[in-house]
Amino acid sequence: NLRTQEKIYQDKAVAKFGQPLSKEALISVLDAHTQSPLAAESFVSHLPTADPSPQQIIDARSQAFINPTTGALDAPGLGNSMTKVQHDQTRRTDEVLGQLNR
């Protein structure tokens, strides 16, 4: 399933940026997909570049929890608190990127 998702996210990145996501961004969106496939769908749209900084990844992951239809935060598992979402996405991103840099 993640191999299929990898192609979908890379296709979105190529359409938006003209190039695929960096290894860090790709691993981050795949991790986001395992956490919340619905939120991960908009991850690429929140990125400013295909090779984002760690903070840009955290920001995109956090913003992806905002429902594009309603504009409301949709993260019931995190208490619908943006503070909790940002903390969780920082923790997850730090862990994923830390594993890449081992």
Side-chain angles (χ1 to χ4, degrees), residues 64-88:
F65 281 91
I66 296 176
N67 183 315
T69 304
T70 65
L73 183 62
D74 188 8
L78 295 168
N80 282 323
S81 162
M82 184 52 86
T83 300
K84 289 181 181 179
V85 169
Q86 289 170 331
H87 176 75
D88 184 58

PDB file of all heavy atoms in Angstrom, residues 64-88:
ATOM      1  N   ALA A  64      -2.138  20.080   7.391  1.00  0.00           N
ATOM      2  CA  ALA A  64      -2.906  19.049   6.693  1.00  0.00           C
ATOM      3  C   ALA A  64      -4.080  18.546   7.530  1.00  0.00           C
ATOM      4  O   ALA A  64      -5.001  17.934   6.985  1.00  0.00           O
ATOM      5  CB  ALA A  64      -1.991  17.888   6.302  1.00  0.00           C
ATOM      6  N   PHE A  65      -4.083  18.835   8.825  1.00  0.00           N
ATOM      7  CA  PHE A  65      -5.194  18.418   9.679  1.00  0.00           C
ATOM      8  C   PHE A  65      -6.352  19.413   9.656  1.00  0.00           C
ATOM      9  O   PHE A  65      -7.369  19.204  10.317  1.00  0.00           O
ATOM     10  CB  PHE A  65      -4.719  18.189  11.116  1.00  0.00           C
ATOM     11  CG  PHE A  65      -4.033  16.866  11.298  1.00  0.00           C
ATOM     12  CD1 PHE A  65      -2.663  16.761  11.147  1.00  0.00           C
ATOM     13  CD2 PHE A  65      -4.763  15.720  11.583  1.00  0.00           C
ATOM     14  CE1 PHE A  65      -2.017  15.539  11.300  1.00  0.00           C
ATOM     15  CE2 PHE A  65      -4.131  14.488  11.737  1.00  0.00           C
ATOM     16  CZ  PHE A  65      -2.758  14.399  11.587  1.00  0.00           C
ATOM     17  N   ILE A  66      -6.209  20.485   8.894  1.00  0.00           N
ATOM     18  CA  ILE A  66      -7.316  21.426   8.740  1.00  0.00           C
ATOM     19  C   ILE A  66      -8.164  20.956   7.566  1.00  0.00           C
ATOM     20  O   ILE A  66      -7.656  20.772   6.456  1.00  0.00           O
ATOM     21  CB  ILE A  66      -6.805  22.862   8.527  1.00  0.00           C
ATOM     22  CG1 ILE A  66      -6.059  23.322   9.789  1.00  0.00           C
ATOM     23  CG2 ILE A  66      -7.958  23.796   8.181  1.00  0.00           C
ATOM     24  CD1 ILE A  66      -5.413  24.680   9.674  1.00  0.00           C
ATOM     25  N   ASN A  67      -9.432  20.743   7.819  1.00  0.00           N
ATOM     26  CA  ASN A  67     -10.354  20.274   6.789  1.00  0.00           C
ATOM     27  C   ASN A  67     -10.498  21.365   5.730  1.00  0.00           C
ATOM     28  O   ASN A  67     -10.928  22.480   6.046  1.00  0.00           O
ATOM     29  CB  ASN A  67     -11.713  19.967   7.427  1.00  0.00           C
ATOM     30  CG  ASN A  67     -12.712  19.398   6.453  1.00  0.00           C
ATOM     31  OD1 ASN A  67     -12.858  19.893   5.343  1.00  0.00           O
ATOM     32  ND2 ASN A  67     -13.418  18.373   6.891  1.00  0.00           N
ATOM     33  N   PRO A  68     -10.137  21.075   4.468  1.00  0.00           N
ATOM     34  CA  PRO A  68     -10.186  22.105   3.437  1.00  0.00           C
ATOM     35  C   PRO A  68     -11.612  22.569   3.112  1.00  0.00           C
ATOM     36  O   PRO A  68     -11.806  23.686   2.653  1.00  0.00           O
ATOM     37  CB  PRO A  68      -9.528  21.446   2.222  1.00  0.00           C
ATOM     38  CG  PRO A  68      -9.632  19.982   2.471  1.00  0.00           C
ATOM     39  CD  PRO A  68      -9.647  19.802   3.959  1.00  0.00           C
ATOM     40  N   THR A  69     -12.586  21.743   3.385  1.00  0.00           N
ATOM     41  CA  THR A  69     -13.975  22.106   3.112  1.00  0.00           C
ATOM     42  C   THR A  69     -14.523  23.057   4.167  1.00  0.00           C
ATOM     43  O   THR A  69     -15.178  24.039   3.844  1.00  0.00           O
ATOM     44  CB  THR A  69     -14.859  20.840   3.047  1.00  0.00           C
ATOM     45  OG1 THR A  69     -14.318  19.962   2.060  1.00  0.00           O
ATOM     46  CG2 THR A  69     -16.291  21.181   2.689  1.00  0.00           C
ATOM     47  N   THR A  70     -14.227  22.759   5.438  1.00  0.00           N
ATOM     48  CA  THR A  70     -14.792  23.557   6.527  1.00  0.00           C
ATOM     49  C   THR A  70     -13.831  24.599   7.082  1.00  0.00           C
ATOM     50  O   THR A  70     -14.258  25.553   7.724  1.00  0.00           O
ATOM     51  CB  THR A  70     -15.217  22.647   7.692  1.00  0.00           C
ATOM     52  OG1 THR A  70     -14.045  22.035   8.252  1.00  0.00           O
ATOM     53  CG2 THR A  70     -16.198  21.577   7.236  1.00  0.00           C
ATOM     54  N   GLY A  71     -12.529  24.391   6.868  1.00  0.00           N
ATOM     55  CA  GLY A  71     -11.532  25.284   7.449  1.00  0.00           C
ATOM     56  C   GLY A  71     -11.291  25.028   8.927  1.00  0.00           C
ATOM     57  O   GLY A  71     -10.550  25.745   9.579  1.00  0.00           O
ATOM     58  N   ALA A  72     -11.932  23.977   9.447  1.00  0.00           N
ATOM     59  CA  ALA A  72     -11.795  23.653  10.869  1.00  0.00           C
ATOM     60  C   ALA A  72     -10.755  22.555  11.071  1.00  0.00           C
ATOM     61  O   ALA A  72     -10.575  21.689  10.211  1.00  0.00           O
ATOM     62  CB  ALA A  72     -13.138  23.188  11.427  1.00  0.00           C
ATOM     63  N   LEU A  73     -10.106  22.601  12.204  1.00  0.00           N
ATOM     64  CA  LEU A  73      -9.156  21.560  12.571  1.00  0.00           C
ATOM     65  C   LEU A  73      -9.921  20.254  12.752  1.00  0.00           C
ATOM     66  O   LEU A  73     -10.961  20.219  13.414  1.00  0.00           O
ATOM     67  CB  LEU A  73      -8.433  21.943  13.862  1.00  0.00           C
ATOM     68  CG  LEU A  73      -7.356  20.992  14.357  1.00  0.00           C
ATOM     69  CD1 LEU A  73      -6.218  20.889  13.338  1.00  0.00           C
ATOM     70  CD2 LEU A  73      -6.825  21.471  15.699  1.00  0.00           C
ATOM     71  N   ASP A  74      -9.410  19.178  12.145  1.00  0.00           N
ATOM     72  CA  ASP A  74     -10.074  17.878  12.221  1.00  0.00           C
ATOM     73  C   ASP A  74      -9.072  16.853  12.730  1.00  0.00           C
ATOM     74  O   ASP A  74      -8.514  16.075  11.965  1.00  0.00           O
ATOM     75  CB  ASP A  74     -10.618  17.488  10.845  1.00  0.00           C
ATOM     76  CG  ASP A  74     -11.479  16.243  10.879  1.00  0.00           C
ATOM     77  OD1 ASP A  74     -11.785  15.749  11.986  1.00  0.00           O
ATOM     78  OD2 ASP A  74     -11.843  15.761   9.788  1.00  0.00           O
ATOM     79  N   ALA A  75      -8.826  16.906  14.036  1.00  0.00           N
ATOM     80  CA  ALA A  75      -7.868  16.001  14.673  1.00  0.00           C
ATOM     81  C   ALA A  75      -8.429  15.542  16.014  1.00  0.00           C
ATOM     82  O   ALA A  75      -7.885  15.854  17.067  1.00  0.00           O
ATOM     83  CB  ALA A  75      -6.531  16.706  14.853  1.00  0.00           C
ATOM     84  N   PRO A  76      -9.530  14.784  15.976  1.00  0.00           N
ATOM     85  CA  PRO A  76     -10.150  14.381  17.238  1.00  0.00           C
ATOM     86  C   PRO A  76      -9.225  13.551  18.118  1.00  0.00           C
ATOM     87  O   PRO A  76      -9.308  13.641  19.346  1.00  0.00           O
ATOM     88  CB  PRO A  76     -11.385  13.591  16.801  1.00  0.00           C
ATOM     89  CG  PRO A  76     -11.144  13.200  15.383  1.00  0.00           C
ATOM     90  CD  PRO A  76     -10.253  14.262  14.821  1.00  0.00           C
ATOM     91  N   GLY A  77      -8.343  12.775  17.524  1.00  0.00           N
ATOM     92  CA  GLY A  77      -7.412  11.973  18.306  1.00  0.00           C
ATOM     93  C   GLY A  77      -6.395  12.812  19.068  1.00  0.00           C
ATOM     94  O   GLY A  77      -5.737  12.329  19.983  1.00  0.00           O
ATOM     95  N   LEU A  78      -6.291  14.068  18.674  1.00  0.00           N
ATOM     96  CA  LEU A  78      -5.375  14.995  19.347  1.00  0.00           C
ATOM     97  C   LEU A  78      -6.159  16.132  20.002  1.00  0.00           C
ATOM     98  O   LEU A  78      -5.649  17.238  20.178  1.00  0.00           O
ATOM     99  CB  LEU A  78      -4.345  15.535  18.346  1.00  0.00           C
ATOM    100  CG  LEU A  78      -3.407  14.473  17.778  1.00  0.00           C
ATOM    101  CD1 LEU A  78      -2.620  15.013  16.588  1.00  0.00           C
ATOM    102  CD2 LEU A  78      -2.454  13.977  18.856  1.00  0.00           C
ATOM    103  N   GLY A  79      -7.414  15.839  20.320  1.00  0.00           N
ATOM    104  CA  GLY A  79      -8.238  16.801  21.034  1.00  0.00           C
ATOM    105  C   GLY A  79      -8.634  18.028  20.232  1.00  0.00           C
ATOM    106  O   GLY A  79      -9.047  19.031  20.808  1.00  0.00           O
ATOM    107  N   ASN A  80      -8.486  17.958  18.917  1.00  0.00           N
ATOM    108  CA  ASN A  80      -8.764  19.111  18.053  1.00  0.00           C
ATOM    109  C   ASN A  80      -8.062  20.366  18.567  1.00  0.00           C
ATOM    110  O   ASN A  80      -8.605  21.463  18.529  1.00  0.00           O
ATOM    111  CB  ASN A  80     -10.265  19.336  17.876  1.00  0.00           C
ATOM    112  CG  ASN A  80     -10.833  18.366  16.876  1.00  0.00           C
ATOM    113  OD1 ASN A  80     -10.202  18.021  15.877  1.00  0.00           O
ATOM    114  ND2 ASN A  80     -12.038  17.892  17.128  1.00  0.00           N
ATOM    115  N   SER A  81      -6.834  20.163  19.026  1.00  0.00           N
ATOM    116  CA  SER A  81      -6.003  21.253  19.533  1.00  0.00           C
ATOM    117  C   SER A  81      -4.802  21.415  18.606  1.00  0.00           C
ATOM    118  O   SER A  81      -4.004  20.478  18.457  1.00  0.00           O
ATOM    119  CB  SER A  81      -5.517  20.911  20.949  1.00  0.00           C
ATOM    120  OG  SER A  81      -4.408  21.712  21.314  1.00  0.00           O
ATOM    121  N   MET A  82      -4.661  22.596  18.006  1.00  0.00           N
ATOM    122  CA  MET A  82      -3.528  22.814  17.111  1.00  0.00           C
ATOM    123  C   MET A  82      -2.214  22.708  17.874  1.00  0.00           C
ATOM    124  O   MET A  82      -1.220  22.228  17.335  1.00  0.00           O
ATOM    125  CB  MET A  82      -3.628  24.157  16.387  1.00  0.00           C
ATOM    126  CG  MET A  82      -2.503  24.380  15.373  1.00  0.00           C
ATOM    127  SD  MET A  82      -2.265  23.038  14.158  1.00  0.00           S
ATOM    128  CE  MET A  82      -3.448  23.499  12.901  1.00  0.00           C
ATOM    129  N   THR A  83      -2.191  23.099  19.121  1.00  0.00           N
ATOM    130  CA  THR A  83      -0.975  22.959  19.922  1.00  0.00           C
ATOM    131  C   THR A  83      -0.573  21.494  20.025  1.00  0.00           C
ATOM    132  O   THR A  83       0.598  21.139  19.847  1.00  0.00           O
ATOM    133  CB  THR A  83      -1.177  23.571  21.327  1.00  0.00           C
ATOM    134  OG1 THR A  83      -1.485  24.955  21.172  1.00  0.00           O
ATOM    135  CG2 THR A  83       0.057  23.413  22.185  1.00  0.00           C
ATOM    136  N   LYS A  84      -1.549  20.630  20.290  1.00  0.00           N
ATOM    137  CA  LYS A  84      -1.268  19.196  20.385  1.00  0.00           C
ATOM    138  C   LYS A  84      -0.884  18.622  19.029  1.00  0.00           C
ATOM    139  O   LYS A  84       0.011  17.766  18.942  1.00  0.00           O
ATOM    140  CB  LYS A  84      -2.468  18.452  20.960  1.00  0.00           C
ATOM    141  CG  LYS A  84      -2.685  18.716  22.431  1.00  0.00           C
ATOM    142  CD  LYS A  84      -3.870  17.942  22.972  1.00  0.00           C
ATOM    143  CE  LYS A  84      -4.081  18.233  24.441  1.00  0.00           C
ATOM    144  NZ  LYS A  84      -5.238  17.527  24.988  1.00  0.00           N
ATOM    145  N   VAL A  85      -1.534  19.072  17.968  1.00  0.00           N
ATOM    146  CA  VAL A  85      -1.188  18.605  16.620  1.00  0.00           C
ATOM    147  C   VAL A  85       0.254  18.979  16.302  1.00  0.00           C
ATOM    148  O   VAL A  85       1.037  18.143  15.843  1.00  0.00           O
ATOM    149  CB  VAL A  85      -2.155  19.186  15.559  1.00  0.00           C
ATOM    150  CG1 VAL A  85      -1.644  18.940  14.148  1.00  0.00           C
ATOM    151  CG2 VAL A  85      -3.557  18.597  15.727  1.00  0.00           C
ATOM    152  N   GLN A  86       0.621  20.234  16.537  1.00  0.00           N
ATOM    153  CA  GLN A  86       1.983  20.679  16.232  1.00  0.00           C
ATOM    154  C   GLN A  86       3.008  19.920  17.063  1.00  0.00           C
ATOM    155  O   GLN A  86       4.060  19.539  16.546  1.00  0.00           O
ATOM    156  CB  GLN A  86       2.100  22.192  16.454  1.00  0.00           C
ATOM    157  CG  GLN A  86       1.346  22.975  15.410  1.00  0.00           C
ATOM    158  CD  GLN A  86       1.253  24.456  15.735  1.00  0.00           C
ATOM    159  OE1 GLN A  86       1.256  24.855  16.895  1.00  0.00           O
ATOM    160  NE2 GLN A  86       1.145  25.259  14.691  1.00  0.00           N
ATOM    161  N   HIS A  87       2.709  19.693  18.325  1.00  0.00           N
ATOM    162  CA  HIS A  87       3.628  18.936  19.178  1.00  0.00           C
ATOM    163  C   HIS A  87       3.794  17.511  18.638  1.00  0.00           C
ATOM    164  O   HIS A  87       4.919  17.008  18.533  1.00  0.00           O
ATOM    165  CB  HIS A  87       3.119  18.910  20.625  1.00  0.00           C
ATOM    166  CG  HIS A  87       3.950  18.067  21.529  1.00  0.00           C
ATOM    167  ND1 HIS A  87       5.180  18.472  21.997  1.00  0.00           N
ATOM    168  CD2 HIS A  87       3.759  16.819  22.023  1.00  0.00           C
ATOM    169  CE1 HIS A  87       5.701  17.512  22.747  1.00  0.00           C
ATOM    170  NE2 HIS A  87       4.856  16.490  22.774  1.00  0.00           N
ATOM    171  N   ASP A  88       2.684  16.874  18.289  1.00  0.00           N
ATOM    172  CA  ASP A  88       2.725  15.505  17.777  1.00  0.00           C
ATOM    173  C   ASP A  88       3.462  15.440  16.444  1.00  0.00           C
ATOM    174  O   ASP A  88       4.281  14.540  16.222  1.00  0.00           O
ATOM    175  CB  ASP A  88       1.304  14.955  17.619  1.00  0.00           C
ATOM    176  CG  ASP A  88       1.304  13.506  17.185  1.00  0.00           C
ATOM    177  OD1 ASP A  88       1.887  12.669  17.903  1.00  0.00           O
ATOM    178  OD2 ASP A  88       0.726  13.211  16.113  1.00  0.00           O
TER     179      ASP A  88
END
